[in-house]
Amino acid sequence: MPILVVGSVALDTVETPFNRVEEVLGGAASFFATAASLYSPVNLVAVVGSDFPQEFLDFWRSRPINLDGLQIREGRTFRWTGRYHLDMNARDTLDTQLGVYAGFHPVLPASYLESDLLFLANIQPELQMEVLQAAPRVRLTVLDTMELWIMTEYDRLTEVMKRVDVLLMSEEEVRQYTEQASILKGVRELLTLGLRYVIVKQGSYGALLFGADGTYFSAPTYPLEEVVDPTGAGDAFAGGFLGYLSTVAPRADGRYALDDLKRAVVHGNLIGSFACEDFSIARLRSLTMDDIMSRYRSLVEYSHFDPAWNSQAK
Amino acid sequence: MPILVVGSVALDTVETPFNRVEEVLGGAASFFATAASLYSPVNLVAVVGSDFPQEFLDFWRSRPINLDGLQIREGRTFRWTGRYHLDMNARDTLDTQLGVYAGFHPVLPASYLESDLLFLANIQPELQMEVLQAAPRVRLTVLDTMELWIMTEYDRLTEVMKRVDVLLMSEEEVRQYTEQASILKGVRELLTLGLRYVIVKQGSYGALLFGADGTYFSAPTYPLEEVVDPTGAGDAFAGGFLGYLSTVAPRADGRYALDDLKRAVVHGNLIGSFACEDFSIARLRSLTMDDIMSRYRSLVEYSHFDPAWNSQAK
């Protein structure tokens, strides 16, 4: 089941307390496509400049990633520079150069109309809306966003949120959007927009799945010895989440079984953990299904506990 | 199996973004004893001043809490004033008045020598060492500490850490003590001191259990609609952890089964979550085993996922 993704492709310069890399492959769509293509074909919609390195295009072509929707425009590729702090859950954006991304409008080639799942990565709500209007009817639409759009495009973002199935937000974004200190209260408010699920990303602490039907699931994260670079972890999460869902059949009513949604969140967390183990997409590109399976099994062992509340209760 | 606790009893003044209470019952030993006494008898060692409200003594006497080791000295009870920020995982201490706590030395009455488990709550390492020297041989000793002692009493604290079985630390405390950015690396360093387990408290994100034997367990937290006051949640965690262990028999080799240790961490998290639902010990004092059992069952549902990594793998 092909997955459609619309988002940024960038050249990132990243500083961590221990290292620095320059002009590596970045952008939400890059992380997502690399991750999701482990599971299913990906249809990529994005823009790059004429300076975009050929090697990255070659890598994507080596994967089931359709580049028909990748616009290559005269000019410079979008560049982002960021710096992480010691706990790696916080970062500062030092510089953003839009380049060809400034005039970007997504165009969906006819070959993309068979996509079954859609990921609207973190781009302007206006562009997300354009995609929703042009996109085929899909089984599930997942939306990501960021503080900037909550602050500057609240109304337009809200319109987009009303038209998607699943919203990804960090805890800070839930608080910013809803002005609720309580995540649970904030999420309840978000669900009134008509969303079927809200997934709250908690960085190194995991992710929470909330359903309009009352579903609640707290997914653990895989413990990392070292976080090299968390950039793209949220998009890798989305790639694992939609990637896993692309491999399963929904129930007769078109909804996914709760077991599969939970598993999808766990896959998301796992792929996010792999993304953090190296800069750029370095770890994601070497990743295999065996790696994922092995880490999944460890996570069961690391997080499950006896369902009987005491040893006498068995 | 009686549990011995040595720690502070205080009168707390707490400000949250939404509320403020004055001179309510606080202190690590108060939260711990109230929580642990739901499971087993508690032997309390602490000091209060002659101004300590009779109603709190009456409440403890209504529980299986032995007060033979509670010193009542002429003077003022220890007072603490703190303020929480909006995300409730961070707080500032605004004022501390030691009162009779300044000259405190723990004395263990003969009736306490039958204690089976020991909790050294967050007091000066010097006093913790005095207790270790005076205490009976127990099955398990759990140590709590705080930033202040890591900064000012590093060597003495280290001596105490070498003599206990389980260390409780927040992520920040692990980083402060070990100067490692990575929690996993920091904990590995802590385990070289001879500790059997390190439990890393993550506030509203749960707790991690690390064993010298390679054990790793990530325990989820119960989702709270509203955090009224997180003061004492760490001590309530310890009360749930040791409280649960007090109800089970160790294996033939004297160690607890991994299933029971995991369950104990989950009980800790649950009791910690109840503690946050009201100021002071208000929610803990009304708590019943049925409440705990019900929340335990919800947590299984909220955090367990299918052990098969995909729906075909079943």
Side-chain angles (χ1 to χ4, degrees), chain A residues 171 182 185 188 205 216-218 225 244 248 262-263 267 296 301-302 304-306 308-311, chain B residues 171 182 185 188 205 216-218 225 244 248 262-263 267 296 301-302 304-306 308-309 311:
Chain A
E171 291 184 302
S182 158
K185 285 186 185 170
R188 195 172 307 135
Y205 299 109
Y216 174 77
F217 174 55
S218 169
E225 177 81 24
Y244 175 72
V248 301
K262 286 181 169 186
R263 255 193 292 236
H267 276 253
Y296 188 100
E301 185 196 326
Y302 292 166
H304 283 202
F305 52 95
D306 200 305
W309 76 296
N310 69 32
S311 54
Chain B
E171 291 185 301
S182 157
K185 286 186 184 171
R188 197 173 306 135
Y205 300 110
Y216 174 78
F217 174 55
S218 170
E225 178 82 23
Y244 175 72
V248 300
K262 286 181 168 185
R263 254 191 295 234
H267 276 254
Y296 188 100
E301 185 197 327
Y302 292 166
H304 282 203
F305 52 95
D306 199 306
W309 76 297
S311 56

Side-chain angles (χ1 to χ4, degrees), chain A residues 140 161-162 164-167 184 186-200 208-217 241 251 255-256 258 261:
Chain A
L140 201 74
M161 285 163 60
K162 287 180 177 170
V164 300
D165 303 304
V166 183
L167 172 67
L184 267 71
V187 167
R188 195 172 307 135
E189 202 176 301
L190 289 169
L191 287 168
T192 63
L193 294 173
L195 293 155
R196 269 151 65 185
Y197 296 97
V198 174
I199 295 174
V200 179
L208 307 175
L209 173 74
F210 296 87
D213 57 1
T215 301
Y216 174 77
F217 174 55
F241 177 77
R251 300 176 313 197
R255 303 290 176 102
Y256 288 97
L258 178 56
L261 285 165

Side-chain angles (χ1 to χ4, degrees), chain B:
Chain B
M1 302 224 310
I3 309 168
L4 176 58
V5 54
V6 185
S8 61
V9 171
L11 297 176
D12 285 354
T13 295
V14 180
E15 276 180 48
T16 70
F18 310 106
N19 230 318
R20 177 188 160 91
V21 292
E22 285 188 33
E23 306 223 330
V24 295
L25 180 58
S30 304
F31 287 99
F32 179 89
T34 306
S37 64
L38 285 163
Y39 298 85
S40 288
V42 172
N43 292 323
L44 177 68
V45 175
V47 64
V48 295
S50 42
D51 61 347
F52 191 68
Q54 181 65 34
E55 56 170 319
F56 300 148
L57 298 175
D58 292 342
F59 162 65
W60 279 336
R61 289 203 180 96
S62 76
R63 289 288 188 99
I65 299 176
N66 189 334
L67 300 182
D68 291 354
L70 179 67
Q71 303 166 28
I72 303 181
R73 292 282 167 90
E74 194 59 43
R76 274 167 67 84
T77 300
F78 177 43
R79 278 163 171 81
W80 175 81
T81 303
R83 179 190 292 149
Y84 286 88
H85 303 277
L86 205 59
D87 94 344
M88 295 273 193
N89 277 313
R91 76 174 180 204
D92 298 322
T93 288
L94 301 181
D95 188 35
T96 301
Q97 297 176 26
L98 291 180
V100 295
Y101 188 69
F104 175 56
H105 284 274
V107 178
L108 274 60
S111 58
Y112 283 18
L113 294 180
E114 290 184 20
S115 306
D116 292 303
L117 300 164
L118 170 59
F119 181 52
L120 296 169
N122 166 29
I123 52 172
Q124 295 94 310
E126 192 63 40
L127 301 185
Q128 292 176 323
M129 187 60 90
E130 287 178 21
V131 174
L132 281 173
Q133 282 158 354
R137 247 185 104 80
V138 295
R139 279 198 189 142
L140 202 75
T141 304
V142 177
L143 175 70
D144 192 20
T145 189
M146 71 190 291
E147 185 182 346
L148 178 64
W149 313 129
I150 296 171
M151 295 310 190
T152 63
E153 298 282 342
Y154 183 92
D155 291 343
R156 199 61 179 154
L157 174 61
T158 303
E159 289 309 307
V160 176
M161 284 162 62
K162 285 179 178 172
R163 296 182 58 162
V164 301
D165 302 305
V166 182
L167 173 67
L168 300 182
M169 270 193 174
S170 70
E171 291 185 301
E172 293 67 32
E173 288 161 359
V174 172
R175 291 201 179 99
Q176 275 158 2
Y177 183 88
T178 65
E179 297 184 344
Q180 291 280 0
S182 157
I183 294 298
L184 267 71
K185 286 186 184 171
V187 167
R188 197 173 306 135
E189 202 177 302
L190 289 169
L191 288 169
T192 64
L193 295 173
L195 293 155
R196 271 151 66 185
Y197 295 97
V198 174
I199 295 174
V200 179
K201 298 178 288 180
Q202 303 179 300
S204 61
Y205 300 110
L208 307 174
L209 172 75
F210 296 86
D213 58 0
T215 301
Y216 174 78
F217 174 55
S218 170
T221 42
Y222 186 85
L224 289 182
E225 178 82 23
E226 195 162 7
V227 171
V228 173
D229 176 12
T231 307
D235 306 300
F237 173 95
F241 178 77
L242 278 174
Y244 175 72
L245 286 182
S246 75
T247 68
V248 300
R251 300 176 314 196
D253 65 359
R255 304 287 176 102
Y256 288 97
L258 179 56
D259 265 357
D260 278 321
L261 285 165
K262 286 181 168 185
R263 254 191 295 234
V265 176
V266 173
H267 276 254
N269 273 349
L270 290 179
I271 305 294
S273 75
F274 284 114
C276 293
E277 290 186 311
D278 207 338
F279 286 99
S280 181
I281 58 159
R283 182 66 186 96
L284 295 182
R285 76 187 277 179
S286 67
L287 200 57
T288 67
M289 271 294 154
D290 278 350
D291 295 332
I292 298 170
M293 185 174 65
S294 159
R295 201 163 273 198
Y296 188 100
R297 286 178 179 157
S298 296
L299 209 53
V300 171
E301 185 197 327
Y302 292 166
S303 69
H304 282 203
F305 52 95
D306 199 306
W309 76 297
N310 69 32
S311 56
Q312 283 77 47
K314 278 191 181 179

